[in-house]
Amino acid sequence: MSVLLNGIRQNNFLVIGRAGMDFFPHPAGTKTEEATEFRSGLGGSAANTAAGICRFGGKADLVTCVSDDSVGRYCVNQLEHYGVGHQHVRPVGGEYRNSLAVYETRVEDHQTVIYRNGAADFQMSTDDVEALDYASYGALITAGTVFAAEPSRSAAFRAFKLAREAGLPIIFDIDYRPYSWPSPQVAEDVLSRAGEMANMIVGNDEEFGFMAGDIAKGQAKAQALAESSASIVIYKMGEKGAVTYAGGDVITTGIYKVDALKPTGAGDSFMAGLMAAIAAGFDLKDAIHRGSACAAIVVGKPGCAPALPDLAELETFLTTHPGPTAT
């Protein structure tokens, strides 16, 4: 576990995964089909996590591919805006396009539509990841989406291998998105293999259940991974909080209850807040609570990346909101 925590404490992350464009109807509560005005923001789990880390003063470089068009350039400009390093973001031409998410700022009857046909980020290659100087970073972060298609899948596994050889700990967010995968069977096999190579694994009850082949076996799967390969496994359960397995310890944590405006963006903000808190020297339980507070902040505001908190906003939230619950 010391390798993992020491790597995170360097507060300098290599983040592998997609950057996309988000559209959300304005004002909050508007249905997409009734909207006359939309706002835009940076999207993609990896890009959002990297942006969140930078909002807290950490360093993060993103590795991905974007479309060689105005939308791809928008994503790069957004990375620049949040302070995310984009020297390893490669534009690709042809018919490849950036992912686009259209989601609503409302919880009841919430609608999200994802466009992922011919996704540019799936064109990340082994050449892209072999060109990286892994030793210059403290830890590698990625989400399961990078494994959903080739050549990105092989590139991500190659990055895991090179990171391990360089002594870099791997933080893996399962982030299972069925629409990105050719079949559930392929996803179960690939995500399980990726999980076995990671030092830290973060996922919700459904994602661990999917890896186990049965949602009822999800928590047992999380515990088994902590006992066999990963130093820290965080099993998230929504409103019920989370159970974390770390070095033989079992840590139960709650959530901060808020009136959510939308259900999106919580996981990326949780990851960013968790990394920032560990890097700042908080113990694991407090770091998980701070990550949960970041998730609560993001679901309470429009947008995903635009809703990410900085340190001042997080501290204000912690002093003005009761919680966490169920600890």
Side-chain angles (χ1 to χ4, degrees):
M1 187 184 300
S2 61
V3 171
L4 172 62
L5 297 179
N6 289 339
I8 295 172
R9 286 169 185 153
Q10 293 184 41
N11 209 13
N12 184 11
F13 299 92
L14 181 66
V15 184
I16 298 179
R18 65 190 169 106
M21 177 183 276
D22 285 356
F23 281 157
F24 42 99
H26 178 77
T30 304
K31 294 181 180 180
T32 300
E33 56 264 38
E34 298 174 357
T36 58
E37 181 179 348
F38 287 83
R39 295 194 171 175
S40 66
L42 177 66
S45 296
N48 288 339
T49 297
I53 288 169
C54 292
R55 289 275 286 165
F56 282 113
K59 295 180 180 180
D61 288 348
L62 187 69
V63 185
T64 192
C65 291
V66 296
S67 53
D68 189 11
D69 56 23
S70 58
V71 178
R73 290 189 289 276
Y74 170 88
C75 294
V76 172
N77 288 342
Q78 284 289 296
L79 294 172
E80 180 77 23
H81 169 74
Y82 288 103
V84 178
H86 51 81
Q87 64 269 32
H88 304 303
V89 176
R90 177 170 61 88
V92 293
E95 294 301 312
Y96 300 112
R97 295 290 180 261
N98 263 86
S99 64
L100 171 67
V102 182
Y103 57 82
E104 298 169 341
T105 308
R106 62 190 187 122
V107 175
E108 186 176 355
D109 298 324
H110 174 87
Q111 300 178 99
T112 294
V113 180
I114 308 289
Y115 294 89
R116 292 284 286 148
N117 297 328
D121 55 282
F122 284 148
Q123 296 309 302
M124 181 182 69
S125 70
T126 54
D127 287 343
D128 292 317
V129 301
E130 287 177 349
L132 304 171
D133 179 13
Y134 292 87
S136 65
Y137 299 95
L140 182 153
I141 302 174
T142 195
T145 307
V146 297
F147 294 100
E150 294 289 6
S152 178
R153 181 185 304 158
S154 293
F157 275 120
R158 179 64 174 158
F160 272 27
K161 184 176 185 297
L162 293 172
R164 287 165 67 97
E165 290 175 354
L168 212 64
I170 296 168
I171 297 113
F172 177 53
D173 187 340
I174 301 171
D175 193 34
Y176 175 54
R177 311 290 181 96
Y179 56 80
S180 294
W181 291 83
S183 73
Q185 292 75 24
V186 171
E188 181 181 350
D189 172 65
V190 172
L191 293 176
S192 294
R193 285 193 285 130
E196 290 169 359
M197 298 178 70
N199 300 84
M200 176 187 284
I201 307 170
V202 179
N204 61 35
D205 43 6
E206 292 183 354
E207 290 165 339
F208 279 108
F210 173 78
M211 290 172 69
D214 182 347
I215 192 169
K217 300 178 181 178
Q219 190 165 356
K221 176 69 172 181
Q223 186 172 7
L225 284 166
E227 293 172 351
S228 62
S229 56
S231 298
I232 298 173
V233 178
I234 301 177
Y235 178 82
K236 299 187 293 185
M237 302 177 292
E239 293 182 353
K240 297 179 181 178
V243 176
T244 298
Y245 301 96
D249 294 331
V250 179
I251 304 169
T252 303
T253 50
I255 65 166
Y256 290 85
K257 291 187 175 181
V258 294
D259 292 326
L261 285 180
K262 66 182 193 309
T264 54
D268 305 335
S269 187
F270 173 86
M271 179 66 81
L274 175 67
M275 294 297 104
I278 294 174
F282 288 90
D283 66 31
L284 185 56
K285 185 171 185 176
D286 287 341
I288 294 167
H289 281 149
R290 291 174 75 86
S292 296
C294 291
I297 291 170
V298 164
V299 299
K301 298 195 296 183
C304 289
L308 292 165
D310 59 15
L311 183 58
E313 185 177 359
L314 174 59
E315 295 298 347
T316 298
F317 179 91
L318 291 170
T319 58
T320 58
H321 283 74
T325 62
T327 57

